[in-house]
Amino acid sequence: MRLVQVFVPRGELEVVLETADATGLDYAVSEEGSRGEFEALVSIPVPPAAVEPLLSALRDAGLDPDAYAVVTAAEAIVSNRTDELTAAFDGTRISREELQSRATDLAPAASTYFALLLVSAAIATAGLLLDSAATIIGAMVVAPLMGPALSASVGVVVDDDHLATRGVVLQTAGLALAVLTAAAIGWALRGTMLLPPGLDITTIPQIDERTTPNLLALFLALGSGIAGVVSLVRDVGSALVGVAIAVALVPPAATVGLGIAWGHPTVVLTAGALVLVNLLSINLTALLLLWVSGYRPRRADRVDSAYGRLRSRVAVLLVAIAVLSVVLGGATYGTYQAAAVEHDVRTELEAMSDDPAVAELAFREVDVDYDPVDVYTGDRPSAVVLVERPPGETEPPAFADAVRERLASATGTDLEVTVELVDTRRSG
Protein backbone atom coordinates (compact mmCIF):
# COMPACT_ATOMS: atom_id res chain seq x y z
CA MET A 1 0.00 0.00 0.00
CA ARG A 2 0.93 3.63 -0.49
CA LEU A 3 0.11 6.81 1.37
CA VAL A 4 -0.34 9.83 -0.90
CA GLN A 5 -0.14 13.14 0.93
CA VAL A 6 -1.15 16.27 -0.97
CA PHE A 7 -0.11 19.70 0.27
CA VAL A 8 -3.10 21.69 -1.00
CA PRO A 9 -2.55 25.32 -2.04
CA ARG A 10 -5.11 27.81 -0.78
CA GLY A 11 -8.38 27.72 -2.66
CA GLU A 12 -7.88 24.24 -4.15
CA LEU A 13 -9.02 21.96 -1.34
CA GLU A 14 -12.37 21.36 -3.00
CA VAL A 15 -10.64 20.21 -6.20
CA VAL A 16 -8.59 17.65 -4.32
CA LEU A 17 -11.52 16.30 -2.30
CA GLU A 18 -13.81 16.04 -5.33
CA THR A 19 -11.10 14.13 -7.21
CA ALA A 20 -10.60 11.71 -4.31
CA ASP A 21 -14.34 11.16 -4.10
CA ALA A 22 -14.58 10.57 -7.84
CA THR A 23 -11.89 7.87 -7.67
CA GLY A 24 -13.59 6.16 -4.74
CA LEU A 25 -10.72 6.67 -2.32
CA ASP A 26 -10.84 7.44 1.40
CA TYR A 27 -8.98 10.46 2.72
CA ALA A 28 -8.28 12.53 5.81
CA VAL A 29 -7.86 16.31 5.89
CA SER A 30 -5.53 18.13 8.26
CA GLU A 31 -5.29 21.89 8.50
CA GLU A 32 -1.90 23.16 7.41
CA GLY A 33 -0.35 25.81 9.61
CA SER A 34 3.03 26.36 7.99
CA ARG A 35 3.91 29.50 6.02
CA GLY A 36 0.34 30.04 4.96
CA GLU A 37 0.98 28.92 1.40
CA PHE A 38 -1.00 25.70 1.88
CA GLU A 39 -4.40 25.44 3.48
CA ALA A 40 -4.56 21.72 4.17
CA LEU A 41 -2.80 18.37 4.02
CA VAL A 42 -4.88 15.58 2.50
CA SER A 43 -3.74 12.00 3.24
CA ILE A 44 -5.04 9.26 0.95
CA PRO A 45 -4.22 5.54 1.45
CA VAL A 46 -4.14 3.78 -1.92
CA PRO A 47 -2.96 0.52 -3.51
CA PRO A 48 0.19 0.91 -5.67
CA ALA A 49 -1.88 0.63 -8.86
CA ALA A 50 -4.02 3.61 -7.83
CA VAL A 51 -1.20 6.12 -7.37
CA GLU A 52 -0.77 7.00 -11.03
CA PRO A 53 -4.53 7.36 -11.80
CA LEU A 54 -4.97 9.53 -8.70
CA LEU A 55 -2.10 11.88 -9.52
CA SER A 56 -3.21 12.12 -13.15
CA ALA A 57 -6.77 12.92 -12.06
CA LEU A 58 -5.51 15.65 -9.74
CA ARG A 59 -3.49 17.24 -12.52
CA ASP A 60 -6.39 16.99 -14.97
CA ALA A 61 -8.67 18.64 -12.37
CA GLY A 62 -6.38 21.65 -12.35
CA LEU A 63 -4.34 21.16 -9.17
CA ASP A 64 -1.59 23.77 -9.00
CA PRO A 65 1.67 22.28 -10.36
CA ASP A 66 3.48 23.87 -7.40
CA ALA A 67 1.50 21.69 -4.97
CA TYR A 68 3.39 18.87 -3.29
CA ALA A 69 2.23 15.28 -3.71
CA VAL A 70 4.34 12.95 -1.57
CA VAL A 71 4.08 9.19 -2.12
CA THR A 72 5.40 6.94 0.64
CA ALA A 73 5.36 3.18 1.01
CA ALA A 74 3.28 2.05 3.97
CA GLU A 75 4.78 -0.84 5.91
CA ALA A 76 1.31 -1.95 7.01
CA ILE A 77 -2.22 -0.59 6.91
CA VAL A 78 -4.55 -2.12 9.49
CA SER A 79 -8.08 -1.92 8.13
CA ASN A 80 -10.75 -4.20 6.76
CA ARG A 81 -11.16 -1.79 3.86
CA THR A 82 -7.78 -2.52 2.24
CA ASP A 83 -9.11 -5.58 0.40
CA GLU A 84 -11.87 -3.47 -1.12
CA LEU A 85 -9.38 -0.81 -2.19
CA THR A 86 -7.01 -3.36 -3.71
CA ALA A 87 -9.82 -5.04 -5.62
CA ALA A 88 -10.95 -1.71 -7.06
CA PHE A 89 -7.56 -1.08 -8.73
CA ASP A 90 -6.21 -3.98 -10.72
CA GLY A 91 -2.47 -4.11 -11.30
CA THR A 92 0.83 -4.72 -9.58
CA ARG A 93 3.20 -2.20 -11.14
CA ILE A 94 4.25 0.99 -9.41
CA SER A 95 3.25 4.41 -10.69
CA ARG A 96 5.09 6.37 -13.34
CA GLU A 97 6.15 8.91 -10.74
CA GLU A 98 7.58 6.24 -8.44
CA LEU A 99 9.31 4.56 -11.38
CA GLN A 100 10.95 7.81 -12.41
CA SER A 101 12.01 8.59 -8.85
CA ARG A 102 13.47 5.12 -8.30
CA ALA A 103 15.33 5.18 -11.60
CA THR A 104 16.90 8.48 -10.54
CA ASP A 105 17.89 7.06 -7.15
CA LEU A 106 19.33 3.91 -8.72
CA ALA A 107 21.86 5.99 -10.65
CA PRO A 108 24.04 7.31 -7.80
CA ALA A 109 26.15 10.45 -7.75
CA ALA A 110 28.95 10.34 -10.30
CA SER A 111 31.69 10.30 -7.66
CA THR A 112 30.11 7.34 -5.85
CA TYR A 113 29.33 5.50 -9.08
CA PHE A 114 32.81 5.74 -10.55
CA ALA A 115 34.52 4.95 -7.24
CA LEU A 116 32.50 1.75 -6.80
CA LEU A 117 32.98 0.76 -10.43
CA LEU A 118 36.73 1.32 -10.22
CA VAL A 119 36.91 -0.94 -7.17
CA SER A 120 34.70 -3.54 -8.86
CA ALA A 121 36.85 -3.53 -12.01
CA ALA A 122 40.03 -3.92 -9.94
CA ILE A 123 38.57 -6.89 -8.03
CA ALA A 124 37.27 -8.47 -11.24
CA THR A 125 40.68 -8.07 -12.90
CA ALA A 126 42.39 -9.77 -9.97
CA GLY A 127 39.79 -12.53 -10.06
CA LEU A 128 40.40 -13.13 -13.77
CA LEU A 129 44.18 -13.28 -13.36
CA LEU A 130 43.82 -15.58 -10.35
CA ASP A 131 41.20 -17.69 -12.17
CA SER A 132 38.97 -17.22 -9.12
CA ALA A 133 35.22 -17.35 -9.79
CA ALA A 134 34.51 -16.43 -6.17
CA THR A 135 36.54 -13.22 -6.47
CA ILE A 136 34.77 -12.28 -9.69
CA ILE A 137 31.38 -12.80 -8.06
CA GLY A 138 32.52 -10.59 -5.20
CA ALA A 139 33.35 -7.85 -7.68
CA MET A 140 29.82 -8.04 -9.07
CA VAL A 141 28.31 -7.27 -5.68
CA VAL A 142 30.18 -3.96 -5.66
CA ALA A 143 29.40 -2.86 -9.24
CA PRO A 144 26.58 -0.26 -9.41
CA LEU A 145 25.61 -0.92 -13.03
CA MET A 146 21.94 -1.73 -12.58
CA GLY A 147 20.85 1.89 -12.03
CA PRO A 148 22.24 3.45 -15.23
CA ALA A 149 21.14 0.44 -17.28
CA LEU A 150 17.52 0.99 -16.21
CA SER A 151 17.44 4.77 -15.81
CA ALA A 152 18.34 5.29 -19.48
CA SER A 153 15.35 3.22 -20.59
CA VAL A 154 13.01 4.81 -18.05
CA GLY A 155 14.05 8.25 -19.26
CA VAL A 156 13.15 7.39 -22.85
CA VAL A 157 9.78 5.89 -21.97
CA VAL A 158 8.61 8.69 -19.66
CA ASP A 159 10.13 11.44 -21.84
CA ASP A 160 12.77 12.54 -19.33
CA ASP A 161 15.72 13.61 -21.48
CA HIS A 162 17.99 14.33 -18.52
CA LEU A 163 17.44 10.89 -16.99
CA ALA A 164 17.92 9.12 -20.33
CA THR A 165 21.10 11.02 -21.17
CA ARG A 166 22.54 10.51 -17.70
CA GLY A 167 21.90 6.78 -17.87
CA VAL A 168 23.63 6.45 -21.24
CA VAL A 169 26.61 8.56 -20.16
CA LEU A 170 27.08 6.64 -16.91
CA GLN A 171 26.93 3.29 -18.70
CA THR A 172 29.38 4.33 -21.42
CA ALA A 173 31.83 6.12 -19.15
CA GLY A 174 31.56 3.39 -16.52
CA LEU A 175 32.46 0.57 -18.88
CA ALA A 176 35.28 2.66 -20.36
CA LEU A 177 36.61 3.14 -16.83
CA ALA A 178 36.40 -0.61 -16.19
CA VAL A 179 38.39 -1.34 -19.36
CA LEU A 180 41.04 1.27 -18.56
CA THR A 181 41.33 0.09 -14.96
CA ALA A 182 41.88 -3.50 -16.05
CA ALA A 183 44.39 -2.39 -18.70
CA ALA A 184 46.33 -0.31 -16.17
CA ILE A 185 46.42 -3.18 -13.65
CA GLY A 186 47.52 -5.56 -16.39
CA TRP A 187 50.32 -3.25 -17.51
CA ALA A 188 51.44 -2.81 -13.90
CA LEU A 189 51.46 -6.54 -13.10
CA ARG A 190 52.78 -7.91 -16.38
CA GLY A 191 56.35 -9.08 -16.00
CA THR A 192 56.34 -8.89 -12.22
CA MET A 193 56.83 -11.73 -9.77
CA LEU A 194 53.10 -11.67 -9.01
CA LEU A 195 52.39 -13.45 -12.30
CA PRO A 196 54.11 -16.45 -13.90
CA PRO A 197 56.83 -15.55 -16.44
CA GLY A 198 55.55 -15.39 -19.99
CA LEU A 199 51.93 -15.74 -18.89
CA ASP A 200 49.51 -16.21 -21.78
CA ILE A 201 46.21 -14.84 -20.50
CA THR A 202 44.24 -16.87 -23.03
CA THR A 203 45.20 -20.03 -21.12
CA ILE A 204 43.41 -18.82 -17.97
CA PRO A 205 39.98 -20.52 -17.95
CA GLN A 206 38.07 -17.50 -16.58
CA ILE A 207 39.50 -15.33 -19.34
CA ASP A 208 39.15 -18.00 -22.03
CA GLU A 209 35.46 -18.28 -21.10
CA ARG A 210 34.97 -14.63 -22.05
CA THR A 211 37.06 -14.75 -25.23
CA THR A 212 35.13 -17.70 -26.65
CA PRO A 213 31.57 -16.49 -26.12
CA ASN A 214 28.63 -17.90 -28.01
CA LEU A 215 25.12 -16.82 -28.79
CA LEU A 216 23.88 -18.33 -25.54
CA ALA A 217 25.44 -15.29 -23.85
CA LEU A 218 22.46 -13.32 -25.18
CA PHE A 219 20.18 -15.18 -22.79
CA LEU A 220 22.13 -13.84 -19.81
CA ALA A 221 21.82 -10.27 -21.04
CA LEU A 222 18.17 -10.55 -22.01
CA GLY A 223 17.31 -12.29 -18.76
CA SER A 224 19.17 -9.65 -16.76
CA GLY A 225 17.27 -6.87 -18.51
CA ILE A 226 13.91 -8.55 -17.89
CA ALA A 227 14.73 -9.23 -14.25
CA GLY A 228 15.89 -5.65 -13.77
CA VAL A 229 12.66 -4.16 -15.10
CA VAL A 230 10.47 -6.61 -13.19
CA SER A 231 12.30 -5.90 -9.93
CA LEU A 232 11.85 -2.18 -10.52
CA VAL A 233 8.21 -1.99 -11.60
CA ARG A 234 6.96 -4.73 -9.26
CA ASP A 235 8.63 -3.27 -6.18
CA VAL A 236 10.72 -6.33 -5.29
CA GLY A 237 14.33 -6.71 -4.16
CA SER A 238 16.87 -5.69 -6.77
CA ALA A 239 20.21 -6.59 -5.15
CA LEU A 240 20.58 -9.97 -6.87
CA VAL A 241 19.35 -8.52 -10.16
CA GLY A 242 22.07 -5.89 -9.93
CA VAL A 243 24.62 -8.67 -9.54
CA ALA A 244 23.26 -10.42 -12.64
CA ILE A 245 23.59 -7.25 -14.71
CA ALA A 246 27.12 -6.67 -13.39
CA VAL A 247 28.08 -10.26 -14.24
CA ALA A 248 27.08 -9.61 -17.84
CA LEU A 249 29.19 -6.44 -18.10
CA VAL A 250 32.15 -6.08 -15.72
CA PRO A 251 34.10 -9.38 -16.22
CA PRO A 252 34.13 -9.13 -20.03
CA ALA A 253 35.02 -5.42 -19.77
CA ALA A 254 37.96 -6.32 -17.52
CA THR A 255 38.92 -9.02 -20.03
CA VAL A 256 39.06 -6.37 -22.76
CA GLY A 257 41.42 -4.33 -20.59
CA LEU A 258 43.69 -7.32 -20.04
CA GLY A 259 43.65 -7.99 -23.78
CA ILE A 260 44.88 -4.43 -24.34
CA ALA A 261 47.60 -4.81 -21.70
CA TRP A 262 48.84 -8.08 -23.22
CA GLY A 263 48.45 -6.92 -26.82
CA HIS A 264 45.91 -9.61 -27.75
CA PRO A 265 43.62 -8.15 -30.45
CA THR A 266 41.55 -11.34 -30.55
CA VAL A 267 40.81 -11.04 -26.83
CA VAL A 268 39.85 -7.40 -27.27
CA LEU A 269 37.57 -8.18 -30.22
CA THR A 270 35.71 -11.16 -28.77
CA ALA A 271 35.38 -9.89 -25.20
CA GLY A 272 34.51 -6.41 -26.50
CA ALA A 273 31.77 -7.83 -28.67
CA LEU A 274 30.42 -9.71 -25.65
CA VAL A 275 30.37 -6.51 -23.55
CA LEU A 276 28.56 -4.51 -26.21
CA VAL A 277 26.03 -7.25 -27.01
CA ASN A 278 25.22 -7.61 -23.31
CA LEU A 279 24.95 -3.86 -22.77
CA LEU A 280 22.73 -3.30 -25.80
CA SER A 281 20.55 -6.33 -25.05
CA ILE A 282 19.90 -5.17 -21.47
CA ASN A 283 18.87 -1.73 -22.74
CA LEU A 284 16.72 -3.18 -25.52
CA THR A 285 14.87 -5.49 -23.15
CA ALA A 286 14.32 -2.73 -20.61
CA LEU A 287 12.94 -0.33 -23.25
CA LEU A 288 10.48 -2.83 -24.68
CA LEU A 289 9.30 -4.21 -21.36
CA LEU A 290 8.73 -0.77 -19.82
CA TRP A 291 6.66 0.33 -22.81
CA VAL A 292 4.67 -2.91 -22.86
CA SER A 293 4.06 -2.46 -19.12
CA GLY A 294 2.10 0.69 -19.96
CA TYR A 295 4.48 3.47 -18.94
CA ARG A 296 4.05 6.67 -20.93
CA PRO A 297 5.02 10.34 -20.63
CA ARG A 298 2.94 12.40 -18.20
CA ARG A 299 1.81 14.78 -20.94
CA ALA A 300 -0.47 13.13 -23.49
CA ASP A 301 0.89 15.31 -26.31
CA ARG A 302 4.36 13.84 -25.73
CA VAL A 303 3.34 10.19 -26.14
CA ASP A 304 3.78 10.13 -29.93
CA SER A 305 7.16 11.81 -29.64
CA ALA A 306 8.31 9.32 -27.01
CA TYR A 307 7.05 6.43 -29.12
CA GLY A 308 9.01 7.73 -32.11
CA ARG A 309 12.19 7.94 -30.06
CA LEU A 310 11.54 4.48 -28.69
CA ARG A 311 11.16 3.01 -32.16
CA SER A 312 14.34 4.67 -33.42
CA ARG A 313 16.35 3.46 -30.43
CA VAL A 314 14.99 -0.05 -30.68
CA ALA A 315 15.87 -0.14 -34.39
CA VAL A 316 19.43 1.05 -33.72
CA LEU A 317 19.85 -1.44 -30.88
CA LEU A 318 18.55 -4.32 -33.00
CA VAL A 319 20.89 -3.51 -35.88
CA ALA A 320 23.88 -3.14 -33.56
CA ILE A 321 23.08 -6.39 -31.76
CA ALA A 322 22.67 -8.19 -35.09
CA VAL A 323 26.07 -6.94 -36.30
CA LEU A 324 27.83 -7.83 -33.07
CA SER A 325 26.08 -11.20 -33.00
CA VAL A 326 28.02 -12.07 -36.14
CA VAL A 327 31.15 -12.02 -33.98
CA LEU A 328 29.44 -14.15 -31.34
CA GLY A 329 28.15 -16.48 -34.02
CA GLY A 330 31.65 -16.78 -35.45
CA ALA A 331 33.04 -17.54 -32.00
CA THR A 332 30.27 -20.09 -31.47
CA TYR A 333 31.07 -21.82 -34.76
CA GLY A 334 34.82 -21.78 -34.08
CA THR A 335 34.34 -23.20 -30.59
CA TYR A 336 32.06 -25.92 -31.94
CA GLN A 337 34.48 -26.89 -34.71
CA ALA A 338 37.44 -27.04 -32.31
CA ALA A 339 35.43 -29.12 -29.84
CA ALA A 340 34.22 -31.39 -32.67
CA VAL A 341 37.78 -32.15 -33.77
CA GLU A 342 38.81 -33.05 -30.23
CA HIS A 343 35.69 -35.20 -29.79
CA ASP A 344 36.27 -37.03 -33.08
CA VAL A 345 39.90 -37.72 -32.18
CA ARG A 346 38.91 -39.12 -28.79
CA THR A 347 36.13 -41.26 -30.27
CA GLU A 348 38.36 -42.66 -33.00
CA LEU A 349 41.12 -43.50 -30.52
CA GLU A 350 38.63 -45.46 -28.43
CA ALA A 351 37.52 -47.34 -31.54
CA MET A 352 41.12 -48.09 -32.47
CA SER A 353 41.81 -49.46 -28.99
CA ASP A 354 38.95 -51.94 -29.52
CA ASP A 355 40.15 -52.96 -33.00
CA PRO A 356 41.06 -56.71 -32.96
CA ALA A 357 43.80 -56.08 -35.53
CA VAL A 358 45.81 -54.11 -32.99
CA ALA A 359 44.41 -55.64 -29.83
CA GLU A 360 47.77 -55.47 -28.04
CA LEU A 361 47.98 -51.70 -28.45
CA ALA A 362 46.25 -49.05 -26.31
CA PHE A 363 45.69 -45.63 -27.81
CA ARG A 364 45.72 -42.63 -25.48
CA GLU A 365 45.06 -39.05 -26.46
CA VAL A 366 47.73 -36.78 -25.05
CA ASP A 367 46.83 -33.43 -26.50
CA VAL A 368 44.79 -31.86 -29.29
CA ASP A 369 45.84 -28.37 -30.32
CA TYR A 370 43.06 -26.64 -32.22
CA ASP A 371 41.66 -23.29 -31.06
CA PRO A 372 38.54 -21.50 -32.34
CA VAL A 373 40.77 -18.87 -33.96
CA ASP A 374 42.56 -21.61 -35.91
CA VAL A 375 39.28 -22.40 -37.66
CA TYR A 376 39.46 -19.01 -39.42
CA THR A 377 43.24 -18.59 -39.75
CA GLY A 378 43.54 -21.92 -41.54
CA ASP A 379 46.09 -23.37 -39.12
CA ARG A 380 46.19 -27.16 -39.15
CA PRO A 381 44.90 -28.95 -36.06
CA SER A 382 47.46 -31.15 -34.40
CA ALA A 383 47.28 -34.08 -32.02
CA VAL A 384 49.84 -35.98 -30.00
CA VAL A 385 48.82 -39.61 -29.50
CA LEU A 386 50.39 -41.91 -26.97
CA VAL A 387 50.32 -45.60 -27.94
CA GLU A 388 51.09 -48.20 -25.30
CA ARG A 389 52.42 -51.61 -26.39
CA PRO A 390 53.55 -54.71 -24.50
CA PRO A 391 57.33 -55.12 -24.20
CA GLY A 392 58.78 -56.74 -27.28
CA GLU A 393 55.64 -56.09 -29.34
CA THR A 394 56.27 -54.42 -32.69
CA GLU A 395 53.86 -52.15 -34.41
CA PRO A 396 52.48 -52.99 -37.87
CA PRO A 397 54.28 -51.57 -40.90
CA ALA A 398 53.57 -47.89 -41.59
CA PHE A 399 51.75 -47.83 -38.28
CA ALA A 400 52.13 -44.08 -37.68
CA ASP A 401 50.83 -43.26 -41.16
CA ALA A 402 47.80 -45.51 -40.60
CA VAL A 403 46.98 -43.72 -37.35
CA ARG A 404 47.26 -40.33 -39.08
CA GLU A 405 44.98 -41.43 -41.89
CA ARG A 406 42.31 -42.79 -39.56
CA LEU A 407 42.27 -39.67 -37.37
CA ALA A 408 42.32 -37.33 -40.35
CA SER A 409 39.45 -39.26 -41.92
CA ALA A 410 37.48 -39.24 -38.67
CA THR A 411 37.86 -35.48 -38.17
CA GLY A 412 37.52 -34.48 -41.80
CA THR A 413 40.55 -32.20 -41.44
CA ASP A 414 44.18 -32.18 -42.49
CA LEU A 415 45.16 -33.28 -39.01
CA GLU A 416 48.83 -33.28 -38.07
CA VAL A 417 49.45 -36.29 -35.85
CA THR A 418 52.48 -37.14 -33.74
CA VAL A 419 52.55 -40.77 -32.58
CA GLU A 420 54.57 -41.64 -29.48
CA LEU A 421 55.16 -45.34 -28.73
CA VAL A 422 55.88 -46.47 -25.17
CA ASP A 423 56.27 -49.92 -23.71
CA THR A 424 53.84 -51.02 -21.04
CA ARG A 425 55.59 -51.82 -17.80
CA ARG A 426 55.65 -55.43 -16.69
CA SER A 427 53.73 -56.12 -13.52
CA GLY A 428 55.59 -57.64 -10.55
Side-chain angles (χ1 to χ4, degrees), residues 105-411:
D105 292 339
L106 279 173
S111 58
T112 303
Y113 173 75
F114 289 118
L116 289 175
L117 195 54
L118 188 149
V119 172
S120 173
I123 297 173
T125 303
L128 289 170
L129 292 174
L130 292 171
D131 191 30
S132 172
T135 304
I136 294 173
I137 294 172
M140 302 310 95
V141 178
V142 179
L145 285 170
M146 177 178 175
L150 296 179
S151 60
S153 299
V154 171
V156 172
V157 171
V158 302
D159 195 36
D160 186 334
D161 290 337
H162 174 72
L163 185 60
T165 301
R166 187 166 185 268
V168 171
V169 170
L170 286 180
Q171 288 182 88
T172 305
L175 288 178
L177 176 64
V179 171
L180 293 176
T181 299
I185 294 175
W187 279 319
L189 295 179
R190 187 179 180 186
T192 68
M193 62 183 297
L194 296 176
L195 296 176
L199 173 65
D200 182 0
I201 59 172
T202 60
T203 62
I204 302 175
Q206 287 293 335
I207 293 178
D208 180 65
E209 178 182 331
R210 290 162 178 90
T211 57
T212 55
N214 58 48
L215 291 175
L216 291 177
L218 281 173
F219 289 98
L220 171 61
L222 295 173
S224 297
I226 293 172
V229 172
V230 171
S231 71
L232 185 62
V233 305
R234 294 297 179 90
D235 191 22
V236 296
S238 59
L240 292 178
V241 177
V243 172
I245 290 178
V247 166
L249 299 177
V250 175
T255 303
V256 173
L258 291 175
I260 295 173
W262 260 262
H264 268 292
T266 303
V267 171
V268 175
L269 175 64
T270 53
L274 179 60
V275 173
L276 293 177
V277 166
N278 287 345
L279 177 67
L280 298 177
S281 297
I282 290 171
N283 282 268
L284 174 66
T285 306
L287 277 173
L288 294 175
L289 196 55
L290 285 169
W291 190 267
V292 170
S293 297
Y295 290 105
R296 302 290 186 271
R298 180 176 63 82
R299 293 172 49 187
D301 60 336
R302 298 293 300 171
V303 173
D304 289 341
S305 175
Y307 181 59
R309 293 172 57 190
L310 175 76
R311 286 190 304 176
S312 62
R313 292 203 178 202
V314 167
V316 170
L317 289 173
L318 285 173
V319 171
I321 291 171
V323 172
L324 291 168
S325 293
V326 173
V327 178
L328 295 186
T332 302
Y333 177 76
T335 302
Y336 173 80
Q337 288 295 102
V341 168
E342 184 172 357
H343 174 268
D344 292 342
V345 168
R346 186 183 304 112
T347 302
E348 187 63 20
L349 289 177
E350 292 175 356
M352 292 168 67
S353 296
D354 296 334
D355 190 341
V358 287
E360 299 298 325
L361 303 178
F363 296 83
R364 313 293 185 201
E365 173 196 349
V366 175
D367 183 49
V368 175
D369 184 10
Y370 195 45
D371 296 324
V373 176
D374 297 335
V375 176
Y376 298 101
T377 59
D379 292 345
R380 293 176 62 191
S382 62
V384 178
V385 179
L386 179 67
V387 181
E388 298 177 354
R389 62 182 178 182
E393 183 76 16
T394 60
E395 69 276 7
F399 173 71
D401 291 336
V403 172
R404 293 189 188 95
E405 290 178 5
R406 287 194 61 167
L407 293 181
S409 175
T411 60

